[in-house]
Amino acid sequence: QIGAGTAWASNLDGHGVKVAVLDTGYDTDHPDLVDRVSLSKSFVPGETIEDANTHGTHTASTVGGSGAASDGLEKGVAYDADLLIGKVLGDSGYGEDSWVIAGMEWAADNGARVVSMSLSGDTPNDGTEPMCAAVDSISQSTGALFVAAAGNNGNEATMSCPSAANSALTVAAVDGEDH
């Protein structure tokens, strides 16, 4: 649906690019992620990088999974990228803004060119709150591209941070018919 096959045919598979995924961590034994993650860190006090929630494992696999669990049929969009995984949301799926900001800084400091964040707040925002300001500041100082979920509330008027940041690439979801 997003044209990954066309990109792969042009050798655009993430090779040589550091991509950070900031979420609920990852399953370090998942076949699609074994030997794919070069650096990981938990920013959640008292929790390891292991993903008891499963959302982080899903997003990391979507970004850069090898496809090993499906015999190569369902590999990540950037399956050859150098993955960095930051756990910024607890196993409950929630976290503090300070954890997310610390993860964003860590990702950029470790050379991530793209930072994927399939997370959002629950309060509509105009892009001026601290997490959005951090996205803009880190983007400006490092050139990192922050890709953020538009949110789960169903329309543009409910976008929150980090997706409301001026420099964020905000992504929404569609169904199989592009609705």
Side-chain angles (χ1 to χ4, degrees), residues 112-123:
R113 303 304 305 141
V114 178
V115 182
S116 174
M117 299 189 300
S118 182
L119 54 89
S120 68
D122 56 6
T123 305

Side-chain angles (χ1 to χ4, degrees), residues 68-175:
S70 64
D71 294 324
L73 295 175
E74 295 182 17
K75 58 189 172 190
V77 173
Y79 63 86
D80 202 23
D82 181 8
L83 289 179
L84 289 70
I85 307 290
K87 183 172 185 164
V88 298
L89 301 176
D91 291 336
S92 66
Y94 297 94
E96 300 291 327
D97 287 359
S98 61
W99 305 344
V100 177
I101 293 169
M104 292 170 14
E105 292 169 343
W106 169 82
D109 289 347
N110 282 285
R113 303 304 305 141
V114 178
V115 182
S116 174
M117 299 189 300
S118 182
L119 54 89
S120 68
D122 56 6
T123 305
N125 192 277
D126 63 1
T128 58
E129 68 98 40
M131 191 185 314
C132 282
V135 167
D136 290 335
S137 174
I138 297 167
S139 291
Q140 183 177 16
S141 66
T142 68
L145 172 64
F146 288 84
V147 181
N152 296 316
N153 295 319
N155 59 54
E156 183 178 337
T158 61
M159 283 178 41
S160 59
C161 287
S163 64
N166 288 330
S167 57
L169 173 58
T170 302
V171 179
V174 295
D175 64 18

Side-chain angles (χ1 to χ4, degrees), residues 27-40:
D27 176 354
T28 58
D29 293 322
H30 192 287
D32 283 1
L33 298 173
V34 169
D35 298 325
R36 293 286 307 116
V37 179
S38 64
L39 189 62
S40 64

